[in-house]
Amino acid sequence: SDLQKQVERGELLQPAIFIVLVLCSVLLYFKVSLMDPGFVKSEEEVKAGKSEEQSMVIPQVSSNIKMRRCGYCMVKQPMRAKHCQLCQRCVRRYDHHCPWIENCVGEKNHPLFIVYLSVQLVVLLWGGHIAWSGLYFKQSWDWLQHNIFLLMSFLLIVVFTIVVLLLLISHLYLISSNTTTWEFMSYHRISYLRHSELENPFDQGIILNLWRFFC
């Protein structure tokens, strides 16, 4: 492959950058999967901690809608929070439970999840280019025996690239409209959306939505 040729010539800059990107991708994966996605604290924890984060003002969509108590973990749910059956906790600004990271994507780790997907996409695209550069197709059994691993790696990278690309695009679209995956999929079952006069009461325009999400 091109990367191997560069290493043999002593040109180590691009191989080093590629390795750093792979390491960053792995570190981001563990960070997103292990961090608190924004679990809703119990009233006792809030009183004990008095943290500023837990005393954030809840967005007012309708004066008729009040904080309800979760029927599973019995905590008071802020607006846009949802109980995750797999994590057995309520998550603030719940987006979805990701089986790939074995964790919820919520208020705290959603921006980092987008960064992880972006870095992962760059690694996959570069890895696909490296694998393709090492393939010189010949119609012979001997060629297939010597290149089967590289060919399978390339096909696998293509599949994962498509999945990550579609996932990243869908998330960026939802973020630009200030909507979570859960709200998008279950719009008619969510009281604060169903009873709202606006189709999306949280949408404040693409620029402001992106600014508030990432900054």
Side-chain angles (χ1 to χ4, degrees):
S1 66
D2 287 346
L3 209 63
Q4 186 177 355
K5 290 176 182 176
Q6 289 176 2
V7 172
E8 290 172 352
R9 291 196 301 265
E11 300 171 2
L12 302 178
L13 180 59
Q14 286 193 27
I17 294 173
F18 181 74
I19 291 170
V20 168
L21 277 174
V22 172
L23 289 175
C24 285
S25 175
V26 173
L27 290 174
L28 282 168
Y29 170 81
F30 283 111
K31 176 65 176 177
V32 174
S33 63
L34 296 175
M35 73 182 293
D36 176 4
F39 292 126
V40 179
K41 293 185 178 181
S42 65
E43 294 168 65
E44 290 77 12
E45 289 176 312
V46 174
K47 288 177 182 178
K50 291 291 182 181
S51 65
E52 183 181 343
E53 184 177 17
Q54 288 297 325
S55 60
M56 288 169 58
V57 177
I58 300 166
Q60 296 298 316
V61 178
S62 172
S63 58
N64 298 323
I65 300 170
K66 300 178 181 178
M67 289 177 66
R68 71 182 191 91
R69 193 172 290 277
C70 176
Y72 296 97
C73 54
M74 301 309 293
V75 299
K76 283 187 177 180
Q77 280 188 340
M79 193 175 292
R80 310 190 82 177
K82 183 184 180 297
H83 183 87
C84 176
Q85 297 284 4
L86 296 172
C87 293
Q88 294 296 309
R89 298 282 299 273
C90 284
V91 180
R92 300 175 67 96
R93 201 182 181 278
Y94 176 86
D95 189 85
H96 71 287
H97 183 92
C98 180
W100 180 250
I101 64 172
E102 276 299 321
N103 193 13
C104 280
V105 176
E107 185 178 75
K108 287 187 177 180
N109 66 347
H110 199 172
L112 203 61
F113 180 73
I114 299 301
V115 175
Y116 163 67
L117 288 179
S118 303
V119 174
Q120 188 67 55
L121 182 61
V122 172
V123 171
L124 285 167
L125 289 171
W126 197 350
H129 170 73
I130 292 168
W132 181 259
S133 69
L135 290 171
Y136 301 94
F137 294 97
K138 293 180 182 178
Q139 294 182 350
S140 67
W141 178 249
D142 186 58
W143 176 89
L144 185 62
Q145 281 184 316
H146 284 89
N147 291 272
I148 186 66
F149 178 74
L150 194 58
L151 185 61
M152 292 297 293
S153 297
F154 175 74
L155 294 175
L156 195 63
I157 287 171
V158 169
V159 171
F160 277 117
T161 301
I162 293 171
V163 171
V164 172
L165 180 62
L166 291 175
L167 190 60
L168 182 60
I169 290 172
S170 64
H171 271 276
L172 289 175
Y173 167 75
L174 292 174
I175 291 165
S176 67
S177 59
N178 201 354
T179 305
T180 64
T181 302
W182 173 58
E183 289 169 343
F184 181 77
M185 300 295 291
S186 309
Y187 181 88
H188 298 291
R189 296 195 293 115
I190 302 172
S191 60
Y192 59 80
L193 294 179
R194 192 172 66 246
H195 297 146
S196 173
E197 295 178 359
L198 301 172
E199 185 177 350
N200 181 6
F202 304 107
D203 188 6
Q204 295 179 308
I206 295 176
I207 295 175
L208 193 56
N209 289 337
L210 292 172
W211 175 264
R212 290 194 168 181
F213 181 84
F214 288 106
C215 306

